[in-house]
Amino acid sequence: METVDIQATLVAYAAVWNEPDEYHRQELIEQIWCENGVYEDRQHRVTGCQALREYIHAFQKRYPDLRIELTGEIVVEQEHVSFTWRACDPDGLAWLIRQDRATLTRDGKLQSIIGVLTE
């Protein structure tokens, strides 16, 4: 994982959540997400690019004004990467702050994202 630009991958991942155009969002997902990648939080588990696209689309419809922002430092722990992010409204108020743990493939694609802490 040393040769992979983890920061760029996670910035692209946040951009996926903020992308309003469904087709462009799908292109971005395919660039950074494994075909059988898993996203999991306390309430949901989705597998694959198509399922992730649909999950993000539903999130955007439910919370149209929220934007995802990476916060804090990225910590590499053996084969996992921990990072924090927040979902903010247009006034900058954080509605959700979370720390996630990611696993990346050797070529830098996200293999899994698991939410490990929610405030």
Side-chain angles (χ1 to χ4, degrees):
M1 216 171 4
E2 296 83 22
T3 60
V4 172
D5 188 345
I6 296 168
Q7 175 79 28
T9 300
L10 295 178
V11 166
Y13 175 68
V16 164
W17 284 85
N18 296 324
E19 177 55 52
D21 181 78
E22 193 170 337
Y23 297 105
H24 189 236
R25 185 171 53 248
Q26 180 67 26
E27 290 174 351
L28 293 173
I29 289 170
E30 290 172 0
Q31 290 173 14
I32 64 164
W33 196 256
C34 289
E35 182 56 41
N36 62 345
V38 175
Y39 169 90
E40 186 174 0
D41 60 30
R42 290 187 326 170
Q43 299 173 338
H44 302 93
R45 179 181 171 95
V46 297
T47 301
C49 293
Q50 180 68 21
L52 180 64
R53 184 190 61 77
E54 292 169 0
Y55 180 74
I56 293 172
H57 179 75
F59 178 87
Q60 288 180 344
K61 286 186 73 83
R62 186 169 184 187
Y63 307 104
D65 295 330
L66 294 185
R67 303 279 300 162
I68 303 299
E69 302 173 349
L70 295 179
T71 60
E73 77 177 285
I74 297 168
V75 178
V76 179
E77 308 162 329
Q78 297 174 357
E79 71 275 358
H80 295 90
V81 177
S82 295
F83 64 100
T84 56
W85 59 270
R86 66 184 187 165
C88 296
D89 67 16
D91 295 325
L93 178 65
W95 285 72
L96 176 66
I97 299 171
R98 199 162 88 190
Q99 180 181 17
D100 286 357
R101 178 168 284 186
T103 304
L104 285 79
T105 62
R106 290 190 185 276
D107 64 352
K109 287 194 173 191
L110 290 163
Q111 186 172 356
S112 68
I113 299 277
I114 299 174
V116 293
L117 175 69
T118 303
E119 290 187 14

